[in-house]
Amino acid sequence: MASSSTSTTGRVGKSRRKVVLVRRPSRGEQYEGRRRYCYNILLAPRWTLWSEGNPGRRFYRCRNYYQDGGCGYFEWHDGGFGERENEVIKELLNDIDNLYEENSHLRRGDACPKWYEELVALEREVLKMKSEHLLKDSEVKKVHCKFKLALATLLLTWVLLLLMYLSG
Ligand SMILES: [Zn+2]
């Protein structure tokens, strides 16, 4: 059977699509069921295609295809899906796309810039109030210190005057 045009790195439809055209299967599902062999009698792994025309359709291909093109062996696992099935799969792929998009928006904070800005503004306000409070606190301490000094000077003067009065 002729091989269809696929790519391991390409993406379906719009470039933001996260679902790759051909998904590398896990070791278990790659060889489950009846085994297929390529023209070089090598075990052929099963892949899943995610192209527009055949979304989710599985196929076998020479294991060396993605290295050097292999021997050209290709065989479908699933018969072609109906129009309705393809439509449903495409809708589900679009849903996945939209969820990816929504998720990345949320991660970037695009969906809630207003409350985020308010939060940042509040944080600045709190910092400002804290520094003002510290400044006032140090001013109060300075005044308190001056008052103590003045009181001590007054007391000393008073004691000196008393001593002068007593000795005089
Ligand atoms: Zn082969």
Side-chain angles (χ1 to χ4, degrees):
M1 198 182 277
S3 66
S4 67
S5 59
T6 54
S7 150
T8 40
T9 50
R11 299 185 189 271
V12 180
K14 290 157 265 177
S15 60
R16 64 186 168 79
R17 169 90 76 202
K18 301 293 189 294
V19 180
V20 293
L21 274 174
V22 176
R23 187 169 60 85
R24 184 177 288 279
S26 68
R27 194 104 202 121
E29 64 178 323
Q30 203 163 13
Y31 296 111
E32 69 181 4
R34 190 166 75 80
R35 299 194 159 191
R36 314 287 169 106
Y37 295 87
C38 75
Y39 303 133
N40 292 330
I41 332 283
L42 292 168
L43 196 58
R46 190 171 67 207
W47 302 76
T48 306
L49 190 61
W50 292 104
S51 65
E52 284 286 320
N54 291 294
R57 198 174 172 192
R58 293 167 294 176
F59 64 93
Y60 299 91
R61 175 170 269 165
C62 176
R63 68 161 71 166
N64 294 326
Y65 177 81
Y66 296 111
Q67 276 103 58
D68 55 14
C71 62
Y73 167 77
F74 178 94
E75 193 182 342
W76 288 111
H77 175 80
D78 304 299
F81 298 145
E83 212 175 290
R84 177 65 191 144
E85 284 87 345
N86 281 347
E87 208 176 286
V88 169
I89 293 169
K90 273 182 217 164
E91 275 172 23
L92 289 171
L93 289 175
N94 277 333
D95 286 347
I96 293 173
D97 255 10
N98 292 337
L99 286 172
Y100 266 114
E101 184 119 321
E102 204 178 307
N103 188 31
S104 69
H105 274 295
L106 285 171
R107 278 170 188 271
R108 285 202 305 266
D110 289 359
C112 44
K114 240 182 195 165
W115 70 256
Y116 187 74
E117 272 170 30
E118 277 174 28
L119 189 72
V120 170
L122 275 173
E123 258 175 12
R124 262 190 221 131
E125 191 90 359
V126 167
L127 276 175
K128 204 175 135 196
M129 281 167 85
K130 265 187 189 168
S131 68
E132 276 173 6
H133 177 76
L134 278 175
L135 203 70
K136 275 184 187 153
D137 210 39
S138 71
E139 273 170 20
V140 167
K141 273 181 190 159
K142 261 187 217 163
V143 170
H144 196 69
C145 207
K146 272 182 192 167
F147 176 75
K148 271 188 187 170
L149 197 68
L151 197 68
T153 314
L154 195 71
L155 267 171
L156 198 66
T157 316
W158 196 76
V159 167
L160 278 173
L161 282 173
L162 191 68
L163 279 173
M164 275 166 75
Y165 174 76
L166 287 175
S167 62

